[in-house]
Structures are given as C-alpha cells and as structure tokens.
Amino acid sequence: MEKKKLLGMTLDELKVVCAEVGMPAFAAKQMAEWLYGKHVRSIDEMTNLSLKSRAALQERYAIGCVAPSDVQKSVDGTAKYLFPTESGQKVECVFIPDGERATLCVSSQAGCRMGCRFCMTGRQGFGGNLTTTDILNQVYSVPGSEGLTNIVFMGQGEPMDNLDAVLRATELLTASYGWAWSPKRITVSTVGIRKGVERFLKESDCHLAISLHNPFPDERLAMMPAEKTYGIHEMLTLLQKQDWSHQRRLSFEYIVFGGLNDSERHARELVRLLSPLECRVNLIRFHQIPDSPYKGASEERMVWLRDYLTQHGVTTTIRASRGQDIYAACGLLHAKTLNI
C-alpha cells in the first residue's frame, strides 16, 4: 500500500491523522512544526513524538519530500532544479539570488495547456496538474530554502488552471502553523482565467500578476491562444471592480518583442487600459527559443517603453534577466531534458 504524504496537509488534516493512528490531537501541531517549521525529511526526526507514535505513523504515512534529481547553475548565480512529481512527471523550479533577496520560481503543472507561442513550456504540451505536495516540495527541498524571501508562481503551468492545489499551497505557506509567510512575499501569475482570478481574489491575499504581452486582443490572440477564451478586456473590467488600495499588489507582465508590441501605438493603448488601475508593469526581455519567429526588442526600445509608460502614469520597470544560459529565464522552462 502506498503511503500517504504528510507534506501538504493542513492542521485539521493532521488532526485526522492523529486520530487514525491513536495519537493525541495536540500532536498535530507538533507534526506541523516539524514539517513546516523545521522541514524534517523523515518521521523519525519528529523526536517529541513517542517511539510508538512514530512507528504507527510510518506504517501509513511518509513526509513526501523528494530531493531534486538534477541541477544546472548559471554564471549569474541562478540555479535550475529538476524535481520528480508524484505522477512520474518532471518539473523545473528556479532559485534566483539577488543580494539580500532570494526568489524561488515554482511550477504548478507539468507543461501547460495555454499554448503561448513564445513559451517553451507551452510547446511542451500538458502533462498534468501538480499536487499540493509536488508544489510545496519545490520550496521544501530546494537547497537554500531557509534563505528564501519571495516565491513566484511563474514556472511551468498556469496556476489558475490548477487552482485547488495552488490555493492550498499558498494557504500552507502563509498559515501561522505552516511557513507563516506574509502573503506579500508570494506572487501568483496567470494569463487571466476569469473564474480562477475571481476565486483567487476571494480566497487569497497574495499578489496577482497578469500575463498581458499585447494590449490589442487580435494581436494578443495571435501570440496567446488563451485570449479567445480569456479575453484581456474582460479581465481588466473585472480587475477595475476590485479594491487595490490594501496590501495586495497587481502587476502586469509584458514580454517585449522587437517590431511586434513595442510601438508607440502599443504604448498609448497600454496607458489607456492600465491607467484606471493601481498597478505596475514589468517589462521582460524575450529569450529566443528554437524555431521561433519572434525576436527581442533592443535595450534602447525597452528603456523607451519603460520611460513612456512611467511618464504617462503607469509605473514600469524592466525585469532583470537571470539564468538565460541554463534555460532558466522567463519562458524557457520545459523539463524534457536539462540539455538542449
């Protein structure tokens, strides 16, 4: 019989585990501390549980953590880790050190079914949803996890397409009995799945990032097939109805393609669409992928676009590109193999 995984269980679920194996209910909080506070790798390490309790636990349960099966390190310090999943798939996550900050970019699915034309993950196709255990294991088992300051759900997959597992993961990351992180340290990205975003805004206080990439629906559709079902104008209407005056931050991701979405016409439309919102825009350099018709904009053009948007009231930054030499930068995660 395959053992159930403790990693990914809420405090109430751990109480059920206690009842199943004949442990007192207060032991659930002890287990949560060992799991989410101390990141133990075996039940034997839960030393304030009796030997009898640990033996009973081990008959039915395992921690559920799995070490990365491979790693690549960039010249800029970025590291890309390959993790096996419960279903037998493989996914990548990226550790990005930056001075006093250390960000982990986690995956929520094996592959992706959104099919964005400029993304290696989209080309990979869809391999299935990750479990909450799979998602949290990336945080739990990546080397240097104790120094993490931020987590972004911007790896493989569309988080709103696996929302149950993503919400459970963010709940455990922010719960007082879990990692006890502030929601301000976590950002969840999406192409704009309306029902998912509506639920996310109700059930989570984490930051939200929308993958925009083009302000004109017809042009966005040519790049992002999801526009047909999840139109950006409909999403913006929804977002304008929200109160963004509290702690949650709204941002828009915008990969800049040379001659495709970097004109003054695009800049003007971005200002028109985004000015009513309390938000920021992150400009992202396009990283060339094999057999792609797209090309990145020049540095001068990116600076011009940043300055134009900022001068017209839309706070805009250029995101630093990290890990491109190991295919760890935005849009390059694929997990078919680490050597391409």
Side-chain angles (χ1 to χ4, degrees):
M1 182 181 71
E2 186 177 354
K3 294 181 179 181
K4 296 178 182 178
K5 309 298 191 298
L6 296 175
L7 178 61
M9 288 190 177
T10 64
L11 187 60
D12 286 342
E13 289 167 337
L14 290 173
K15 290 178 181 177
V16 172
V17 171
C18 289
E20 285 181 2
V21 299
M23 294 165 56
F26 68 77
K29 197 162 187 180
Q30 293 174 313
M31 283 196 288
E33 173 61 22
W34 287 113
L35 284 168
Y36 305 123
K38 298 180 180 177
H39 296 182
V40 295
R41 305 197 69 80
S42 71
I43 289 172
D44 275 338
E45 295 178 65
M46 299 182 176
T47 52
N48 59 353
L49 303 182
S50 69
L51 286 172
K52 181 181 177 181
S53 293
R54 280 179 271 165
L57 267 178
Q58 286 176 332
E59 286 184 11
R60 302 187 189 183
Y61 295 93
I63 298 296
C65 58
V66 183
S69 58
D70 212 339
V71 60
Q72 281 190 327
K73 295 190 176 180
S74 169
V75 294
D76 64 21
T78 299
K80 181 172 69 171
Y81 294 92
L82 188 69
F83 280 97
T85 69
E86 292 193 273
S87 65
Q89 298 280 343
K90 294 180 179 179
V91 295
E92 294 176 331
C93 73
V94 181
F95 179 83
I96 309 167
D98 184 17
E100 295 182 354
R101 290 169 59 93
T103 299
L104 188 67
C105 180
V106 302
S107 294
S108 56
Q109 295 178 313
C112 184
R113 51 181 155 208
M114 296 300 106
C116 296
R117 312 290 190 207
F118 47 82
C119 179
M120 287 285 286
T121 307
R123 287 191 178 190
Q124 178 181 329
F126 181 64
N129 286 329
L130 301 193
T131 65
T132 302
T133 302
D134 290 328
I135 294 171
L136 291 178
N137 183 56
Q138 297 167 69
V139 185
Y140 202 90
S141 297
V142 72
S145 62
E146 67 282 352
L148 289 174
T149 60
N150 299 85
I151 291 173
V152 295
F153 284 75
M154 295 181 182
Q156 290 173 266
E158 163 55 58
M160 301 296 167
D161 193 32
N162 186 22
L163 191 53
D164 284 343
V166 168
L167 283 174
R168 177 180 282 253
T170 58
E171 175 188 347
L172 287 163
L173 287 166
T174 57
S176 59
Y177 64 85
W179 268 265
W181 276 33
S182 164
K184 292 187 290 184
R185 296 169 64 183
I186 302 169
T187 300
V188 179
S189 178
T190 176
V191 299
I193 297 179
R194 183 184 176 93
K195 288 185 177 179
V197 170
E198 288 177 330
R199 184 178 165 200
F200 175 80
L201 292 173
K202 290 177 182 176
E203 298 183 26
S204 174
D205 290 324
C206 296
H207 295 323
L208 178 66
I210 305 293
S211 296
L212 178 54
H213 309 316
N214 203 304
F216 297 106
D218 56 337
E219 295 180 22
R220 188 173 187 258
L221 177 61
M223 303 162 61
M224 304 172 66
E227 167 67 25
K228 184 175 182 179
T229 307
Y230 311 114
I232 192 61
H233 284 178
E234 184 182 6
M235 176 52 49
L236 290 169
T237 299
L238 168 66
L239 296 174
Q240 287 172 11
K241 295 177 181 178
Q242 305 299 313
D243 178 12
W244 297 101
S245 61
H246 61 305
Q247 304 264 347
R248 191 203 306 271
R249 184 178 68 234
L250 173 64
S251 59
F252 290 87
E253 311 296 300
Y254 196 86
I255 298 176
V256 189
F257 301 96
L260 189 64
N261 66 349
D262 60 347
S263 71
E264 187 171 345
R265 178 175 67 93
H266 291 90
R268 286 198 305 268
E269 184 66 2
L270 284 169
V271 170
R272 188 184 75 82
L273 292 178
L274 302 184
S275 289
L277 288 164
E278 184 71 30
C279 67
R280 67 173 59 224
V281 173
N282 294 315
L283 301 182
I284 302 170
R285 294 171 179 83
F286 174 61
H287 305 102
Q288 194 72 33
I289 61 177
D291 304 317
S292 171
Y294 303 113
K295 63 179 182 179
S298 67
E299 186 66 19
E300 291 78 12
R301 199 61 182 168
M302 292 194 67
V303 170
W304 172 84
L305 182 56
R306 178 199 65 192
D307 293 347
Y308 183 98
L309 295 176
T310 299
Q311 289 165 8
H312 288 80
V314 179
T315 302
T316 304
T317 59
I318 298 175
R319 180 182 293 167
S321 181
R322 301 290 299 273
Q324 186 173 358
D325 57 322
I326 57 168
Y327 279 73
C330 183
L332 298 183
L333 301 186
H334 53 97
K336 286 294 186 183
T337 172
L338 282 179
N339 300 300
I340 61 175

